[in-house]
Amino acid sequence: MNSKTLPVFLSFLCMGFGDAVNTFVGVAKDHFSLTTFESSFIASAGFIMFGLLSVPMGLFQDKCGRKKTLLTGLIVALIGILTVMLFGLDRYAVFLLSILLLGGGATILQVAGNPIMRDVSDEGRYSSNLSLGQFTKAIGSFTAPLVFFMAGKMGYTETQSWNVLFPIFAVAVAVSIISVATLKVQEKSDAGKTASLGSCIRLLGDPSVAFSVLAIFVYVGAEVCMASGMPVYFSEQFGINQSLATKFVMYFFVTIMIGRFLGAMLLRKVRPGRFLVATCYVSLAGFILLVLGSNAVGLIASPDAREIVTTASLVVLALGFANIFPLVFSMAIDRLPDKANELSGLMVSAICGGAFLLPLMGWIGDASGNLFYGFVVPLVAVLYILGVGLVMKSEKKEGRDA
């Protein structure tokens, strides 16, 4: 790791704070006595900001530079954190504003952080560093659930838990702002036309760009399907209490975090295209285990054995899912480096896919009477990404042969 990557890795850590909204839903619902409808805005906040801000911030980045955009994201996130710290947790509207700002900051950090990692990485290390960055982001994502868990063990009230969490966020973001402000980086940019909304839309006319953007869309949706669907699935299949079933989300994300670290190491030796295809095959192996463990299929008689196999499927799926996002992102940027800002905006906006695939999976589960059949949605997503990976791998091979 060279010294220039450290500020960017710190930004990825802060980027993970935006994922805290998933932890906030249940806690805030009780704290503010919210209806399910009101609390749903918390879960949707991040996806809303990804959909609204990504492309405009990609254009802003093209004009003002990635370092300034990265600083903007950190400052917006800090304002969101300070909003809660200064105005307290007595009003839901203030809290929701804070979450929107935190989600907006995370969106901007995604737009700037992914391409600027290429600027600070040594030759041939971009894909590896991006996976390591996503690993660092995962650490940030775990900060909120870890603080709430530890605070609960120590007998803290909900308000006291918030009062511990947000100062931790504030200090980390402030340190990152100072670190990025002192960063000296030579940004690799296009000397041609300035990016515009029209140029972003025209990029989608390139099949490889359109396929990559859609791959990000369905991947994020598939990840949300697994993370949100697994607790319900375990509860339905094995009679596990819903609150206890949430531990399987922790298994999923801990394994993803480990997988991203391992992926960062492997990508120092393995080409990204080959690794993307391999990681999709691992995901498919996870779905096979999920089928074997389902009582809907009935291949395994013992409920205990089915639970073990289904838990194993969750771990294998997480290992397969772990590096898809950084691989698709880095391969698209490497293919069109002069369009990195526009590409980044387009692909980060595709993260809103997390808001669309989960309802589809739930609808299929309700219609069939078994959530098991709803998992066809993330399965189709992985098959699509595998197809994109095979095409990208083929293009790379043809380029080398030429």
Side-chain angles (χ1 to χ4, degrees), residues 35-352:
T35 65
T36 302
F37 177 74
E38 288 171 330
S39 65
S40 68
F41 283 109
I42 301 172
S44 301
F47 294 125
I48 289 171
M49 300 312 286
F50 280 119
L52 291 178
L53 288 181
S54 297
V55 171
M57 291 312 302
L59 303 180
F60 173 85
Q61 180 171 259
D62 192 72
K63 294 178 181 178
C64 300
R66 293 163 196 157
K67 177 181 172 179
K68 288 183 180 178
T69 306
L70 200 65
L71 280 171
T72 300
L74 289 167
I75 292 169
V76 170
L78 184 59
I79 292 171
I81 295 164
L82 293 177
T83 298
V84 166
M85 293 177 65
L86 294 174
F87 297 101
L89 285 163
D90 297 328
R91 289 174 292 173
Y92 172 61
V94 172
F95 176 77
L96 186 59
L97 174 62
S98 173
I99 295 305
L100 286 169
L101 289 169
L102 190 58
T107 300
I108 299 168
L109 289 174
Q110 282 273 21
V111 171
N114 291 295
I116 202 173
M117 183 65 83
R118 185 173 185 270
D119 298 329
V120 299
S121 296
D122 295 329
E123 187 69 27
R125 291 291 177 87
Y126 178 39
S127 292
S128 173
N129 281 345
L130 201 54
S131 280
L132 195 57
Q134 291 295 321
F135 164 76
T136 307
K137 175 179 177 286
I139 295 174
S141 302
F142 273 103
T143 305
L146 181 61
V147 167
F148 281 122
F149 175 77
M150 294 302 295
K153 287 288 186 182
M154 296 169 66
Y156 284 21
T157 64
E158 288 176 348
T159 301
Q160 289 172 328
S161 299
W162 295 114
N163 291 338
V164 171
L165 178 65
F166 281 101
I168 292 173
F169 280 1
V171 170
V173 174
V175 169
S176 298
I177 288 173
I178 295 170
S179 181
V180 171
T182 59
L183 174 66
K184 294 182 180 180
V185 56
Q186 181 65 44
E187 297 184 14
K188 301 168 186 175
S189 59
D190 184 15
K193 295 181 179 179
T194 301
S196 64
L197 180 60
S199 66
C200 285
I201 294 173
R202 283 193 295 274
L203 267 180
L204 291 172
D206 183 329
S208 69
V209 172
F211 292 157
S212 296
V213 170
L214 185 56
I216 294 292
F217 182 91
V218 299
Y219 164 72
V220 176
E223 183 182 303
V224 172
C225 284
M226 298 309 302
S228 300
M230 271 300 184
V232 178
Y233 183 68
F234 273 90
S235 181
E236 289 181 356
Q237 294 278 304
F238 308 112
I240 298 172
N241 180 276
Q242 185 69 46
S243 61
L244 293 177
T246 57
K247 68 182 180 181
F248 295 102
V249 178
M250 298 297 291
Y251 293 165
F252 184 71
F253 282 112
V254 167
T255 307
I256 279 185
M257 187 168 65
I258 294 170
R260 284 173 177 167
F261 179 78
L262 294 175
M265 301 301 104
L266 287 170
L267 281 164
R268 297 172 185 265
K269 302 292 183 181
V270 182
R271 289 192 179 94
R274 182 175 298 175
F275 193 43
L276 178 59
V277 171
T279 203
C280 286
Y281 284 135
V282 172
S283 299
L284 293 177
F287 281 112
I288 291 172
L289 287 174
L290 185 65
V291 171
L292 292 175
S294 171
N295 61 16
V297 178
L299 294 175
I300 300 176
S302 168
D304 290 339
R306 287 202 305 269
E307 185 177 342
I308 291 171
V309 172
T310 305
T311 304
S313 77
L314 184 65
V315 172
V316 174
L317 279 162
L319 286 173
F321 276 33
N323 294 284
I324 290 176
F325 182 94
L327 283 167
V328 173
F329 205 108
S330 62
M331 290 171 69
I333 296 292
D334 277 340
R335 187 179 180 277
L336 294 171
D338 291 343
K339 302 295 183 182
N341 296 325
E342 295 141 290
L343 275 172
S344 182
L346 286 171
M347 286 192 287
V348 172
S349 69
I351 291 175
C352 69

